[in-house]
Amino acid sequence: MVNPPSPSPGRPGIEKLLVAGLRGFCAGVVRAIDVVERALDVCEGPVYVRKEIIHNRYVVDELRSKGARFVEEVDDVPDGAWLIYSAHGIAPSVRQSARRKKLRTIDATCPLVTKVHLEAIHYAQQGYTIILIGHEDHDETIGTLGEAPDSIRLVGTTEEAEAVQVPDPERVAYLTQTTLSLDDTREIVAVLRRRFPKLARPAKDDICYATQNRQDAVKAMTPLVDLLLVLGAPNSSNSLRLCEVARDQGVASHLIERAEDIRPEWLEGVRVLGLTASASAPEILVQEVVRYAREKLGVREVEEFETVKENVSFSLPQELKALLKPAPREAV
């Protein structure tokens, strides 16, 4: 690891590190990690996880060190073994493959993603064409598309929204990937509403509460910082959106996975450095950056920037709860 040089005499260094008080794990991520850890305790034999349980290399490596076996597809799992579905959700075809192999499955899909899947099924059954706003290669979007592939059209930009074709303009609904920017989806929805005046929408926004809260915290922070660092992963949609939100506010932003990713040239002229963490980044990595800033960058002050508080939690999947129940006592 190459350490940035200490501030030179006569050259102002970073005076403050401003850390978003609202950062890191959301309820869906906490639940997904808990599912894997508890399954490792109670399931007999190896426990496999399809895809990354969440998009964070550190978390995946930690769970792998505890015994979890990560695979790309169901075909990589031995017949009859335990398999956990990741937080991003899966298409029905994945469940069908698991049943053919007689796998014992636990579904760690975030309940907010499950909500979008159920909405897709509902609208498809009602004969609607569904416009899914999302990114083509994201695991969550792939899973949602699989619920009604003949009824869903995927769009990711206003240009695609202008061009999308539907069989009946009178029966169109839209859904969104949960980890997008509300600002970006608002522009796309505006195009869709202009083109399809009877556009139906979900009863409640699909954008995850934690995604929106973290984006709002970044917006509030940007007037106070010269540069924002976002702890996350390059394949994490909500991580990338946090960087985009900062840049849209006129503040330079860089995505990092660890403290060692910080590059000296980013810090030229920075007096106040901002730091946040995506919904899939663990607190231990935040504290790693804080220590790095103090010890390597000569930061004089670390301050938490508070916005709203979160108190959301999700219960464990029913199939895991059943495994955790103590066995009934035999009558004496």
Side-chain angles (χ1 to χ4, degrees):
M1 179 173 66
V2 178
N3 296 327
S6 299
S8 58
R11 172 178 169 266
I14 300 173
E15 296 177 356
K16 181 190 291 188
L17 176 65
L18 192 62
V19 185
L22 185 59
R23 61 180 183 263
F25 285 170
C26 63
V29 167
V30 171
R31 175 181 184 265
I33 295 171
D34 198 20
V35 166
V36 178
E37 291 180 335
R38 290 178 179 242
L40 288 170
D41 287 338
V42 299
C43 294
E44 295 180 3
V47 173
Y48 292 83
V49 182
R50 182 182 178 272
K51 307 287 187 179
E52 294 182 331
I53 187 68
I54 62 169
H55 287 155
N56 187 275
R57 186 187 310 173
Y58 179 91
V59 171
V60 170
D61 287 345
E62 283 289 295
L63 293 173
R64 184 180 286 114
S65 72
K66 295 178 181 179
R69 301 186 182 186
F70 289 87
V71 297
E72 280 299 302
E73 295 298 344
V74 172
D75 288 343
D76 301 323
V77 183
D79 291 0
W82 284 101
L83 175 65
I84 298 174
Y85 301 132
S86 81
H88 308 103
I90 56 168
S93 58
V94 176
R95 298 185 195 279
Q96 292 167 6
S97 296
R99 284 194 289 270
R100 282 197 300 269
K101 292 177 67 64
K102 295 182 171 52
L103 301 181
R104 293 169 289 178
T105 60
I106 300 173
D107 191 351
T109 300
C110 174
L112 299 181
V113 175
T114 298
K115 166 184 171 290
V116 178
H117 282 227
L118 294 174
E119 290 166 346
I121 295 168
H122 167 75
Y123 282 123
Q125 290 174 342
Q126 298 299 314
Y128 281 81
T129 298
I130 303 156
I131 308 296
L132 176 61
I133 304 172
H135 298 298
E136 184 177 11
D137 57 350
H138 194 275
D139 288 336
E140 179 186 329
T141 302
I142 293 169
T144 305
L145 282 167
E147 294 289 2
D150 295 334
S151 300
I152 298 178
R153 309 288 186 272
L154 180 66
V155 303
T157 64
T158 53
E159 291 78 14
E160 291 174 350
E162 291 282 8
V164 66
Q165 298 297 311
V166 301
D168 183 358
E170 300 286 304
R171 295 187 70 77
V172 182
Y174 80 88
L175 302 173
T176 62
Q177 181 181 325
T178 64
T179 53
L180 298 182
S181 162
L182 192 59
D183 293 335
D184 291 342
T185 57
R186 188 181 293 114
E187 294 178 4
I188 294 174
V189 170
V191 171
L192 295 175
R193 281 187 174 142
R194 173 171 51 76
R195 293 193 60 206
F196 312 114
K198 293 187 178 181
L199 184 70
R201 57 163 293 168
K204 199 173 180 183
D205 280 335
D206 292 331
I207 301 295
C208 166
Y209 77 94
T211 295
Q212 190 57 47
N213 285 346
R214 280 149 188 74
Q215 291 174 12
D216 289 344
V218 166
K219 288 181 183 178
M221 282 178 65
T222 48
L224 307 176
V225 304
D226 303 305
L227 171 71
L228 180 73
L229 299 177
V230 176
L231 268 167
N235 61 338
S236 163
S237 179
N238 77 94
S239 302
L240 298 172
R241 299 294 83 73
L242 290 175
C243 289
E244 290 177 1
V245 168
R247 291 167 190 154
D248 288 344
Q249 301 296 310
V251 174
S253 179
H254 297 287
L255 179 67
I256 60 173
E257 293 188 81
R258 302 292 296 264
E260 63 190 25
D261 296 332
I262 300 172
R263 295 169 58 176
E265 58 266 29
W266 296 345
L267 308 175
E268 290 292 332
V270 172
R271 304 293 292 274
V272 180
L273 178 63
L275 174 65
T276 189
S278 75
S280 50
E283 180 62 18
I284 191 171
L285 299 186
V286 174
Q287 296 309 314
E288 178 185 88
V289 173
V290 171
R291 287 194 303 274
Y292 186 88
R294 289 185 187 277
E295 297 170 7
K296 303 297 184 182
L297 305 181
V299 171
R300 306 166 193 173
E301 180 184 357
V302 176
E303 178 184 331
E304 292 243 345
F305 181 79
E306 297 293 348
T307 49
V308 300
K309 299 288 187 182
E310 291 177 349
N311 58 359
V312 179
S313 62
F314 295 134
S315 62
L316 293 171
Q318 289 299 322
E319 58 269 38
L320 182 56
K321 284 183 178 179
L323 293 172
L324 294 170
K325 284 182 180 178
R329 295 181 180 179
E330 295 183 6
V332 178

